[in-house]
Amino acid sequence: MNLITRNFSVAVRQRLLVSGSLTSLRRQATCAASSQTPTPTFPCVDAHAARESRILASSFSRASSNDSGPEPPYDRPNPLSYNTYHHQHPLELTYGSALPSFDIAYETWGTLSPSRDNVILLHTGLSASSHAASTELNPTEGWWEKFIGPGRALDTNQFFVICTNVLGGCYGSTGPSSLDLAGQRYATRFPILSIFDMVRAQFKLLDHLGVQKLYASVGSSMGGMQSLAAGWLFPERVGKIVSISGTARSSPGSIAMRHAQRSVLMADPNWNNGFYYDDLPPHTGMKLARQIATITYRSGPEWDQRFGRKLRELKDGQSPSPSRSPTLCPDFLIETYLDHQGEQFCLKYDANSLLYISKAMDLFDLTLPALQELAMTPATQAPPSPSTSVASKSHPPPLHHAPHLPELADGLRPLKSIPMLVLGVQSDILFPVEQQRELVDALRMAGNTQVSYFELGGVWGHDTFLLDVLNVGGAVRGFLS
């Protein structure tokens, strides 16, 4: 050992000795402080640590059973309870890349007519599966259970209803959690998607089923975007359009909300740039993202009615009391509700699917300049005609409309001949009712004289399309019949 090395080793040992002495002093100080002041405890943090331990234990169990990673099957229906269409040819995507092949999971209700002219394509929101209603193979309730069936909004005595899991999802359709041609998870090597790509994949399924024209394209939330995109891409193949709490152009406000969700998810170290499938999934980021999303799905007045400022019950059975000492963990019922929603969702849906599909929502823009930038053209180009303002039946035309409204009217011109139902909800903060009014104004400026528009009250916010069977269901049934 030379002199330099010896001196360096001595210096390191001395530093370690000093560091150890300091650590010892700190421990002594901590112990002394602990004897006087109790160490704070945080049950919510402990619960999170316990959940992570369970996930780790589950991952080891899966590894021992030769399973590919600890992530759950995302509560997808049993493979026998839904159909899968495999498209073996490449699908060209909006943003320049392609999928060499893809699967689309779908379920159906009702009976297909001999002429195949009674088909309704039902589009889902961001995180829904193809299981919109119960079936013989899967009797569990679907996400639109009360709207599908004999005599309901989507009357299965009259219509053949098809619902798919969107491209990019994780409930049977090809998405980031799927295997590529080399047998590896796509993860974040999956290409960026658009709403148009999702719809093109759905129409490949329709081609496979021999359905030339839809009786109607129906969707809520992101499904409302898909419904419009279906009519825009294939105006000759869509008989009617229903858009509930949707939009023709994602607003900066909704983009900001989804950006916040993606940010907390991607900040989770377990996300690992999207390559987490053989390790611990980003459950914390998913939980926080779901909490943010839940706030946008409902409304302040509903929180007041459901929870107010009520405190949660204590585990020891004590009654909630405003005089009890507050904590940094959830004290209010609304906090425990959001915590529960995050817990329920954090392992049920693939994190990368949330990133990709929410980004597709942000990118959706049917204004003419945005469409021209993407070199988008519908299957049948509508003849050009000047935009003319037509007053809405439920509200006067805006005196000071947004600068982009004429461009939106120009972009929506391929939809001018399709009868449309647009529903908005006054308490919706994710897709504010102004966006549905804007859509109606733009459609009428584009020359569509067959637009029906209804504005719903209530306190359910964006989730009204899931809950208001009487008004949403009644309007849809009346329009389709």
Side-chain angles (χ1 to χ4, degrees):
M1 181 182 296
N2 58 38
L3 182 61
I4 296 176
T5 303
R6 185 182 302 110
N7 289 341
F8 177 77
S9 300
V10 171
V12 169
R13 283 196 297 271
Q14 289 175 341
R15 183 170 296 179
L16 289 173
L17 287 171
V18 171
S19 175
S21 299
L22 289 174
T23 302
S24 178
L25 289 172
R26 289 193 188 103
R27 286 175 179 169
Q28 293 175 19
T30 301
C31 291
S34 298
S35 64
Q36 300 173 7
T37 306
T39 302
T41 59
F42 301 98
C44 53
V45 176
D46 295 340
H48 173 80
R51 181 185 63 201
E52 185 160 289
S53 297
R54 290 194 298 270
I55 296 172
L56 282 170
S58 174
S59 70
F60 289 125
S61 174
R62 289 173 182 269
S64 64
S65 61
N66 295 320
D67 203 331
S68 58
E71 78 285 347
Y74 308 121
D75 273 9
R76 67 184 60 173
N78 184 296
L80 297 178
S81 73
Y82 64 79
N83 303 295
T84 302
Y85 164 64
H86 177 69
H87 189 76
Q88 58 185 355
H89 304 291
L91 179 69
E92 298 296 326
L93 303 177
T94 302
Y95 294 101
S97 54
L99 280 174
S101 62
F102 65 87
D103 291 338
I104 288 291
Y106 70 98
E107 296 180 52
T108 65
W109 301 264
T111 303
L112 183 62
S113 65
S115 56
R116 300 174 186 266
D117 61 354
N118 69 332
V119 177
I120 291 178
L121 180 58
L122 175 62
H123 306 275
T124 72
L126 188 155
S127 60
S129 72
S130 61
H131 192 62
S134 55
T135 63
E136 290 185 3
L137 292 176
N138 186 359
T140 58
E141 286 194 359
W143 58 268
W144 232 33
E145 183 75 24
K146 296 180 180 179
F147 294 82
I148 301 173
R152 294 178 175 174
L154 304 188
D155 189 351
T156 51
N157 288 333
Q158 182 180 1
F159 301 116
F160 182 67
V161 181
I162 302 174
C163 183
T164 79
N165 178 221
V166 296
L167 191 69
C170 57
Y171 295 129
S173 294
T174 296
S177 60
S178 302
L179 300 179
D180 61 16
L181 295 180
Q184 302 295 319
R185 304 273 190 178
Y186 275 107
T188 45
R189 293 181 294 106
F190 197 75
I192 295 293
L193 294 174
S194 73
I195 298 294
F196 296 110
D197 298 327
M198 299 174 187
V199 171
R200 288 192 186 99
Q202 292 168 334
F203 271 74
K204 296 296 185 183
L205 167 63
L206 295 179
D207 293 340
H208 169 73
L209 297 175
V211 177
Q212 180 58 33
K213 184 172 182 177
L214 292 172
Y215 182 87
S217 175
V218 178
S220 306
S221 187
M222 186 185 79
M225 296 178 173
Q226 295 172 69
S227 189
L228 292 172
W232 194 95
L233 286 171
F234 306 101
E236 299 299 322
R237 297 185 64 179
V238 178
K240 295 184 177 183
I241 291 176
V242 176
S243 177
I244 307 169
S245 295
T247 185
R249 174 183 177 272
S250 277
S251 69
S254 61
I255 292 172
M257 293 175 187
R258 287 188 288 267
H259 167 72
Q261 296 173 51
R262 290 194 297 270
S263 295
V264 297
L265 199 168
M266 296 170 74
D268 187 328
N270 291 334
W271 182 61
N272 192 32
N273 290 334
F275 292 86
Y276 52 81
Y277 294 106
D278 295 320
D279 208 335
L280 195 66
H283 56 96
T284 300
M286 283 293 281
K287 176 181 177 178
L288 295 175
R290 185 62 171 186
Q291 289 181 347
I292 296 171
T294 301
I295 295 170
T296 71
Y297 294 156
R298 298 300 180 95
S299 74
E302 188 197 7
W303 301 136
D304 285 335
Q305 290 185 17
R306 290 180 65 185
F307 304 108
R309 289 180 54 83
K310 294 178 182 176
L311 300 174
R312 67 175 180 87
E313 292 186 4
L314 300 177
K315 287 188 176 182
D316 56 12
Q318 297 179 12
S319 300
S321 170
S323 62
R324 76 186 190 195
S325 298
T327 70
L328 295 179
C329 285
D331 282 321
F332 294 97
L333 280 180
I334 180 61
E335 293 177 302
T336 62
Y337 174 77
L338 291 177
D339 194 64
H340 172 74
Q341 290 296 315
E343 289 280 2
Q344 290 292 103
F345 184 75
C346 68
L347 291 176
K348 288 184 177 180
Y349 195 73
D350 180 45
N352 285 334
S353 283
L354 178 61
L355 296 176
Y356 276 84
I357 296 177
S358 68
K359 188 67 175 184
M361 295 175 71
D362 292 353
L363 296 169
F364 189 62
D365 186 349
L366 287 178
T367 58
L368 185 60
L371 295 166
Q372 289 175 333
E373 185 177 348
L374 295 174
M376 296 283 295
T377 55
T380 302
Q381 184 66 51
S385 61
S387 297
T388 56
S389 179
V390 180
S392 167
K393 295 179 181 178
S394 59
H395 65 280
L399 295 176
H400 305 288
H401 61 71
H404 62 264
L405 185 62
E407 296 175 342
L408 183 58
D410 291 336
L412 291 175
R413 199 164 290 143
L415 302 172
K416 63 180 295 184
S417 300
I418 304 176
M420 297 190 62
L421 171 65
V422 179
L423 294 182
V425 178
Q426 293 172 350
S427 57
D428 192 339
I429 63 173
L430 181 58
F431 287 76
V433 73
E434 288 78 15
Q435 294 184 26
Q436 290 86 58
R437 294 174 183 171
E438 178 180 89
L439 170 60
V440 170
D441 285 331
L443 285 166
R444 289 180 172 149
M445 290 171 64
N448 191 323
T449 60
Q450 304 176 82
V451 181
S452 300
Y453 176 60
F454 296 97
E455 231 170 72
L456 306 179
V459 298
W460 290 318
H462 188 64
D463 276 356
T464 295
F465 77 88
L466 296 170
L467 303 170
D468 194 347
V469 179
L470 178 63
N471 293 301
V472 173
V476 172
R477 185 183 179 193
F479 176 74
L480 295 177
S481 62

